[in-house]
């Protein structure tokens, strides 16, 4: 059994948003054959209640507090240093000290980094594997195109500086991973010789947890026709997605389907999201369980114009046997069959057309949901995908079950 230092930019429990879902399942996968020492940040006070559950499954743990507002101010020091602001945002003396102390008292065999910013803590003398997840530098460059000056300049600079750091990290790593083949190829095209040891490590979904249950009660009123979007609602790509849908698609859909109501389901709605609430739009905030909202929705929509990699929110909806209308980039990342397992749309008019077709043809929507769940079952097992990291880790004995979760 090897000992691994696992460095994660956000506490990987509970697995209630996209990056945390992936980092949590990677943690559990590594624990099947290795001893894992976890260093991470906590940036949401609500997650403090879940620390006992995380410590139960990963007792060798250091959690550094991160206050987003202070971290944003601290990140501006990157302008003086000429570095990516992301690195200063995630810079913490306590976490760096814990890594040094851990290396002084433990025999660590390798480091696994989740998100490029955490590579700044990785010991130089140990083999390093990096799960970039997405090409974050490309995300900042996309942001720049959608914002006025001076934010466009700042975001463009961040994309350039972060790409330089990502290249350096990939050169140093034994192996690096991205969530899709498309992200992998995008990095290789920009890597300037740093992309030789890079491969895709795709997302999965817990299809046993995300499965329809006839006993599950509906959260909707009987006279509603609910469309649903799920996600963390303080994340700008999600804010942009629901704002676009409400402005450019919902009015046309409501003209034909006056009972239609758009549900925005997710934690920490930003002021711009809360302002969308109306007779036609419900903003739920945090919910105990997203599955009833997915199961009893007429359709799930994912109008993400800024989307990197595979979207867990889409996989979860597919696992719940729901028809999903999504932007073409999201559909392409999953590899679903157009018009069978997913319904891609290139623009607002295309979204409206696809949604109207499925609302008018309930049997077609139901068949698409069945096909979508079958796609998830066949292609998106977490263990099957994450096994790709194993051949690059120190040799370990036969897999064993990881520590059980305690109730929360």
């Amino acid at each position: 059994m090897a000992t691994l230092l696992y460095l994660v930019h956000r506490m990987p429990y509970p697995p209630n948003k996209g990056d945390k879902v992936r980092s949590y399942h990677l943690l559990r996968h590594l624990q099947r054959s290795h001893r894992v020492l976890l260093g991470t940040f906590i940036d949401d006070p609500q997650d403090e209640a879940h620390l006992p559950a995380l410590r139960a499954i990963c007792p060798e743990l250091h959690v550094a507090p991160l206050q987003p507002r202070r971290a944003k101010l601290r990140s501006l020091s990157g302008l003086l240093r000429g570095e990516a602001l992301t690195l200063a945002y995630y810079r913490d003396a306590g976490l760096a000290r814990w890594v040094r102390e851990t290396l002084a008292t433990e025999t660590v065999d390798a480091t696994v980094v989740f998100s490029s910013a955490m590579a700044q803590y990785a010991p130089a003398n140990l083999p390093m594997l990096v799960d970039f997840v997405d090409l974050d530098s490309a995300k900042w460059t996309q942001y720049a195109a959608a914002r006025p000056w001076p934010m466009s300049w700042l975001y463009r600079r961040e994309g350039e500086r972060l790409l330089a750091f990502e290249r350096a990290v990939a050169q140093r790593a034994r192996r690096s991973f991205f969530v899709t083949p498309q992200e992998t190829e995008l990095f290789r095209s920009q890597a300037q010789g740093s992309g030789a040891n890079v491969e895709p490590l795709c997302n999965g979904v817990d299809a046993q947890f995300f499965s329809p249950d006839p006993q599950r009660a509906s959260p909707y009123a009987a006279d509603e026709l609910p469309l649903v979007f799920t996600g963390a609602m303080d994340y700008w790509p999600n804010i942009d997605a629901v704002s676009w849908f409400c402005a450019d698609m919902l009015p046309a859909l409501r003209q034909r389907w006056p009972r239609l109501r758009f549900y925005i389901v997710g934690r920490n709605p930003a002021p711009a999201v809360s302002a969308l609430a109306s007779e036609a739009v419900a903003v739920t905030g945090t919910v105990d369980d997203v599955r009833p909202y997915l199961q009893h929705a007429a359709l799930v929509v994912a109008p993400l114009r800024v989307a990197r990699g595979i979207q867990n929110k889409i996989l979860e909806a597919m696992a719940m046997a729901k028809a999903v209308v999504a932007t073409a980039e999201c559909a392409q990342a999953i590899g679903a069959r157009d018009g069978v397992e997913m319904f891609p749309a290139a623009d607002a008019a295309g979204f409206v057309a696809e949604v109207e077709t499925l609302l008018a043809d309930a049997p077609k929507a139901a068949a698409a949901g069945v096909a979508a769940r079958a796609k998830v079952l066949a292609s998106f097992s977490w263990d099957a995908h994450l096994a790709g990291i194993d051949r690059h880790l120190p040799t370990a004995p036969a897999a064993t079950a990881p520590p059980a979760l305690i109730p929360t």
Side-chain angles (χ1 to χ4, degrees), residues 163-164 167 171 187-195:
L163 178 59
R167 289 169 178 161
Q171 285 181 329
F187 177 71
R188 285 175 178 157
S189 72
Q190 301 180 15
Q192 296 183 349
S194 305

Side-chain angles (χ1 to χ4, degrees), residues 18-377:
D19 63 278
K20 294 174 70 173
V21 171
R22 182 175 172 93
S23 61
Y24 166 77
H25 281 283
L26 181 55
L27 168 65
R28 303 297 276 165
H29 180 82
L30 294 173
Q31 287 179 320
R32 293 186 184 278
S33 299
H34 305 284
R35 178 169 167 253
V36 179
L37 316 176
L38 172 63
T40 187
F41 286 98
I42 182 170
D43 61 1
D44 186 342
Q46 295 180 22
D47 284 349
E48 292 179 6
H50 301 283
L51 276 168
L54 180 59
R55 198 171 296 279
I57 63 171
C58 194
E60 290 144 320
L61 168 69
H62 178 83
V63 179
L66 187 151
Q67 296 183 353
R69 289 185 179 179
R70 291 184 182 179
K72 287 178 181 178
L73 291 174
R74 184 174 64 244
S75 71
L76 295 177
S77 66
L79 294 173
L80 301 176
R81 296 191 181 96
E83 67 180 359
L85 306 190
T86 300
L87 302 183
Y89 186 94
Y90 287 107
R91 189 162 289 142
D92 180 78
L95 181 55
R97 183 171 56 252
W98 175 79
V99 171
R100 292 194 301 270
E101 292 173 350
T102 296
L103 294 175
T105 58
E106 298 274 2
T107 300
V108 179
D109 299 293
T111 304
V112 177
V113 168
F114 187 93
S115 187
S116 61
M118 299 304 288
Q120 63 187 308
Y121 297 101
N125 61 336
L126 291 178
M128 179 177 70
L129 302 177
V130 180
D131 186 0
F132 283 97
V133 188
D134 301 322
L135 187 57
D136 285 337
S137 56
K139 174 186 68 178
W140 288 108
T141 301
Q142 278 188 295
Y143 287 1
R147 295 296 178 93
W149 191 91
M151 297 309 295
S152 60
W153 170 83
L154 188 66
Y155 289 167
R156 191 171 297 109
R157 177 195 181 277
E158 183 68 4
E160 293 169 354
R161 298 295 197 279
L162 193 54
L163 178 59
F165 181 74
E166 290 164 340
R167 289 169 178 161
V169 169
Q171 285 181 329
R172 179 182 157 199
R174 170 184 287 184
R175 201 72 176 173
S176 298
F177 307 93
F178 288 91
V179 75
T180 66
Q182 293 87 349
E183 289 288 286
T184 304
E185 290 306 315
L186 178 61
F187 177 71
R188 285 175 178 157
S189 72
Q190 301 180 15
Q192 296 183 349
S194 305
N197 294 319
V198 178
E199 65 182 82
L201 192 71
C202 291
N203 272 355
V205 64
D206 185 346
Q208 182 176 359
F209 180 81
F210 287 99
S211 60
D213 180 354
Q215 302 303 314
R216 188 175 287 132
S218 171
Y220 305 120
D223 61 347
E224 289 182 325
L225 185 62
L227 297 186
V228 173
F229 176 93
T230 64
M233 295 317 305
D234 54 356
Y235 182 48
W236 187 75
N238 290 344
I239 298 170
D240 175 74
V242 297
S243 299
W244 181 41
F245 188 85
C246 289
D248 292 1
M249 299 164 230
L250 188 58
L253 290 168
R254 289 263 297 177
Q255 283 186 355
R256 181 175 177 187
W257 309 92
R259 294 191 301 112
L260 188 148
R261 196 172 191 205
F262 182 42
Y263 273 77
I264 302 171
V265 181
R267 64 207 299 246
N268 299 334
V273 176
S274 297
L276 298 172
S278 68
E279 180 186 355
V281 180
V283 179
T284 69
T286 301
V287 297
D288 292 334
D289 190 346
V290 74
R291 292 174 297 176
Y293 291 89
L294 292 172
Q295 178 171 325
H296 294 285
L299 299 173
V300 173
V301 294
L304 290 151
R305 295 188 287 190
V306 180
R308 313 281 348 145
I310 291 176
Q311 298 294 312
N312 286 309
K313 61 173 68 69
I314 294 179
L315 293 182
E316 291 165 1
M318 294 172 69
M320 292 296 296
K322 301 310 299 184
V324 180
V325 182
T327 48
E329 185 177 20
C330 291
Q332 182 183 24
I334 289 174
R337 291 176 292 168
D338 293 357
V340 178
E341 296 158 340
M342 192 181 297
F343 298 84
D347 53 24
F351 248 94
V352 171
E354 294 291 354
V355 169
E356 286 193 336
T357 296
L358 291 166
L359 290 178
D361 191 344
K364 180 177 182 178
V370 171
R373 179 165 173 81
K375 171 69 175 179
V376 163
L377 292 173

